[in-house]
Amino acid sequence: LAPRKRPYHTIIPAMLTHSDTGELYASLSNMGGFMQPQGHMQLVVQLVANGLDPQTAVDAPRFCILDGSQNGKIFIETGFNEATVAKLARYGHNMEPNVSGHEREIFGRAQIITKDRETGILAAGSDGRADGCALG
């Protein structure tokens, strides 16, 4: 602790809404320090751009710039295309590929709930990298 210093915390869940009506599409979170904003972005891309269901989006491999800096080492979870990882390394990025097992904890712990706008049915996904569970 020091004067004029602020604690870094990431207790920040996210909500996604439909652009045309503003109604709820999803609530999500990816806990884990500097991983949280990176994880949120990756989850949103998986849901919106790739059209994945919540559990598949949560299960998708992630990357993490562990120290959150522009030039930080990029940790890559097992499952990413190896040619893409190699190409990024050739461009000068400091890559740490094939992170697996308990070391995957750096990718955070994500949960997602989506609401189908036609039926109102809720669907959920919970991270197998931790001890969550989607029920209902």
Side-chain angles (χ1 to χ4, degrees):
L1 296 177
R4 291 179 285 286
K5 297 287 183 178
R6 301 176 96 183
Y8 183 80
H9 72 85
T10 57
I11 307 170
I12 309 168
M15 291 178 62
L16 304 178
T17 58
H18 291 282
S19 62
D20 58 343
T21 62
E23 65 186 310
L24 180 67
Y25 167 61
S27 64
L28 59 93
S29 188
N30 191 97
M31 301 176 288
F34 287 115
M35 180 59 193
Q36 185 176 33
Q38 298 173 65
H40 278 194
M41 180 273 305
Q42 292 173 62
L43 294 171
V44 170
V45 167
Q46 296 294 11
L47 286 171
V48 177
N50 295 338
L52 299 182
D53 65 82
Q55 189 62 56
T56 306
V58 168
D59 291 342
R62 296 189 204 134
F63 63 87
C64 176
I65 304 169
L66 194 57
D67 68 1
S69 72
Q70 181 177 355
N71 297 314
K73 182 182 279 189
I74 305 169
F75 293 82
I76 305 291
E77 190 170 17
T78 299
F80 270 87
N81 181 293
E82 291 182 22
T84 301
V85 174
K87 189 170 187 176
L88 289 168
R90 285 194 305 275
Y91 285 145
H93 295 287
N94 186 5
M95 309 295 281
E96 182 69 35
N98 299 315
V99 177
S100 62
H102 293 294
E103 286 74 35
R104 296 183 322 146
E105 71 182 359
I106 65 172
F107 301 111
R109 292 148 315 278
Q111 288 79 37
I112 300 174
I113 302 170
T114 58
K115 181 180 178 186
D116 184 282
R117 73 187 317 181
E118 304 297 324
T119 65
I121 293 174
L122 301 176
S126 188
D127 212 327
R129 297 168 186 86
D131 57 355
C133 181
L135 296 174

